Amino acid sequence: MATPKSALRRALRAAKLEQGETLYDLGSGTARALIIGEKEFGAKGIGFEIGLPIFISSRINLFLRRAKSVRVFRKSFFDADLSKADVIFMFLTPRAFVGLEDKFVSEIRPGCRVVTFSSPLKFWQPQETISLPDRQEKLYLYKA
Ligand SMILES: C[S@@+](CC[C@H](N)C(=O)[O-])C[C@H]1O[C@@H](n2cnc3c(N)ncnc32)[C@H](O)[C@@H]1O
């Protein structure tokens, strides 16, 4: 499942992603968030994806779109260092969030914005909940 591009654009605008900042996508799928981050916001991108076929498709997409400021890694985001993120995007099931609170508290830098699509974090209160036109899912914005 991929986040609709319109929702990604809205998410990155809500997070105030700026040129030169670094966007992380935890569970980066086809890398579409990171490609939009680079092409439309001028951001660098880092993604982590455990699924092999989708990881390969993300590498192909990055090559085809010439997304030179984006790197994707085939590993769990639980094994990644999140301390360089300015904005973190996630579209994950609530189960995949388990254990993330401790990692966020110890690693992400103050001022980092976190935005989730569809599932809110259980451990933080959103600063903003954003409805999307013609969709049931919402965006949830948090600030570290
Ligand atoms: C619903 S998809 C979202 C893909 C993309 N972020 C998007 O919004 O279009 C969630 C992805 O997270 C990946 N994933 C789940 N748990 C993960 C983990 N611990 N580390 C890395 N990837 C993970 C899954 O393989 C899946 O491709």
Side-chain angles (χ1 to χ4, degrees), residues 3-12 89 117 132 135 139:
T3 308
K5 288 183 181 173
S6 57
L8 286 172
R9 293 187 176 101
R10 183 73 187 88
L12 301 186
F89 175 76
F117 174 68
L132 298 163
R135 297 205 70 93
L139 294 165

Side-chain angles (χ1 to χ4, degrees), residues 58-75:
S58 72
R59 280 278 172 92
I60 292 169
N61 286 341
L62 294 176
F63 174 75
L64 293 176
R65 296 295 312 276
R66 294 179 170 78
K68 298 225 165 66
S69 310
V70 175
R71 299 278 175 275
V72 288
F73 300 93
R74 186 167 178 246
K75 67 178 192 179

Side-chain angles (χ1 to χ4, degrees), residues 17-47:
L17 180 65
E18 290 185 6
Q19 184 155 11
E21 286 194 318
T22 304
L23 168 67
Y24 278 46
D25 186 352
L26 308 189
S28 43
T30 58
R32 54 169 47 196
L34 301 171
I35 291 171
I36 289 175
E38 183 195 274
K39 300 294 174 196
E40 300 181 24
F41 293 78
K44 293 171 267 187
I46 303 280

Side-chain angles (χ1 to χ4, degrees), residues 33-141:
L34 301 171
I35 291 171
I36 289 175
E38 183 195 274
K39 300 294 174 196
E40 300 181 24
F41 293 78
K44 293 171 267 187
I46 303 280
F48 304 98
E49 175 52 58
I50 44 173
L52 181 58
I54 197 162
F55 171 75
I56 291 170
S57 83
S58 72
R59 280 278 172 92
I60 292 169
N61 286 341
L62 294 176
F63 174 75
L64 293 176
R65 296 295 312 276
R66 294 179 170 78
K68 298 225 165 66
S69 310
V70 175
R71 299 278 175 275
V72 288
F73 300 93
R74 186 167 178 246
K75 67 178 192 179
S76 169
F77 52 76
F78 283 103
D79 299 325
D81 173 12
L82 307 181
S83 63
K84 301 277 193 311
D86 295 299
V87 172
I88 295 175
F89 175 76
M90 292 179 286
F91 173 23
L92 295 167
T93 58
R95 237 176 39 172
F97 291 144
V98 174
L100 209 51
E101 180 178 10
D102 288 349
K103 188 165 176 65
F104 274 10
V105 168
S106 62
E107 277 182 27
I108 66 178
R109 58 169 200 77
C112 178
R113 290 87 77 199
V114 176
V115 57
T116 69
F117 174 68
S118 182
S119 303
L121 298 176
K122 291 265 191 297
F123 48 88
W124 281 351
Q125 275 299 111
Q127 192 182 54
E128 198 181 343
T129 299
I130 300 160
S131 299
L132 298 163
D134 304 324
R135 297 205 70 93
Q136 283 195 320
E137 302 98 329
K138 292 181 171 36
L139 294 165
Y140 302 89
L141 176 69

